[in-house]
Amino acid sequence: MTVHQLPFGVLLRRWRERRRMTQADLAFAADSSTRHLSCLETGKAQPSREMIARLAEYLQIPLRDQNTLLLAAGFAPAFQERSLAALDAAKAAIDAVLKAHKPYPVFAVDRHWNIVASNSALPQLYEGCSPDLMRAPVNAVRLVLHPAGLGPRIVNYAAWRSHTLTILRQQIDARADPVIQSLFAEVSAYPTPPNCESAVSFEAFERLATPLRIATRFGVMSFLGTVTVFGTPNDVTLAELALEMLFPADDRTAEIAKAMVAEQRVLG
């Protein structure tokens, strides 16, 4: 099936409008003229590779979309898209983080929140989750919030979903990805579990960072999340990869994690 390629000028104008920049603003930033930029958008002029690079820098266009711009202008893509397995140094770094972060969970997710690697820590956290949600590719957002996933056991479900939707909305604002738009609509429609905390019921420390609070048969665990990305990536896959790491937010969570690890050792 042939995919219709939009003209370079149309793509450029969409990115400029998405970043809420005028032609004059972008022309000044890219060391060009408003007239030339107008001609690029209408197709009366063709850009050089250097011009595309400057425009992409100031419009903060992701590598995947920079390749699309280059193709639309008649150039070859500038950035490769390899599998994670082919990125030896990056994969080694990710594997080291996965191993070092045990016994706490860490996931490497792609731009659609699909888990591409994990350290499989604390499997008791996912007890009761639907096998369908645990089947690859596992979507981290869906696994946590879906009614057949962790959703009914997320103590602060309303706050965590609000936090998640804010992140998805930021992704949509940055890049109109239909997959993320669909995920946003899906998550927005999930029913709120009847016994979850009110979104305004947090203690003072929780207002500094929203924890993920999960009820388990060992007790309630509270995690703080951090996100790690690779700096200055030149590969599309690497640019779209993020490491989601969970840390215990209190001593009780650390104690429960130890008990879970001990149970796994006995069962193993």
Side-chain angles (χ1 to χ4, degrees), residues 36-175:
H36 182 55
L37 189 63
S38 177
C39 288
L40 289 177
E41 291 189 358
T42 59
K44 293 179 180 179
Q46 286 297 109
S48 64
R49 290 185 70 97
E50 293 72 23
M51 173 58 75
I52 295 174
R54 291 206 303 272
L55 293 171
E57 176 184 359
Y58 289 106
L59 290 172
Q60 298 180 336
I61 298 177
L63 301 190
R64 178 181 298 277
D65 299 288
Q66 289 188 45
N67 279 345
T68 300
L69 280 173
L70 287 163
L71 286 169
F75 298 108
F79 306 100
Q80 294 187 58
E81 182 179 1
R82 291 164 287 187
S83 68
L84 180 58
L87 300 170
D88 295 338
K91 187 177 185 304
I94 291 172
D95 288 343
V97 172
L98 296 179
K99 181 178 179 181
H101 197 62
K102 281 189 172 182
Y104 305 113
V106 56
F107 313 95
V109 297
D110 64 17
R111 73 188 192 282
H112 294 147
W113 295 90
N114 293 318
I115 298 173
V116 297
S118 79
N119 64 354
S120 302
L122 308 182
Q124 296 94 330
L125 285 174
Y126 313 103
E127 291 175 348
C129 290
S130 168
D132 290 338
L133 294 176
M134 301 294 291
R135 190 174 296 119
V138 178
N139 185 275
V141 169
R142 189 174 289 116
L143 177 62
V144 171
L145 292 171
H146 196 282
L150 290 174
R153 294 195 286 114
I154 303 301
V155 177
N156 58 334
Y157 185 94
W160 190 259
R161 177 166 63 176
S162 177
H163 162 73
T164 301
L165 289 176
T166 296
I167 294 175
L168 294 179
R169 191 178 295 110
Q170 290 171 347
Q171 282 187 265
I172 293 169
D173 288 343
R175 182 180 186 273

Side-chain angles (χ1 to χ4, degrees), residues 8 31 79 86 102 125 136 170 188 199-200 206 217 238 263:
F8 173 84
D31 193 24
F79 306 100
K102 281 189 172 182
L125 285 174
Q170 290 171 347
S188 297
V200 295
E206 291 179 313
R217 58 185 168 85
L238 202 58
E263 180 182 75

Side-chain angles (χ1 to χ4, degrees), residues 156 159-160 163 199 201-212 223-226 249:
N156 58 334
W160 190 259
H163 162 73
S201 66
F202 300 135
E203 299 175 3
F205 84 93
E206 291 179 313
R207 298 192 186 106
L208 298 177
T210 301
L212 175 60
F223 294 100
L224 294 177
T226 65

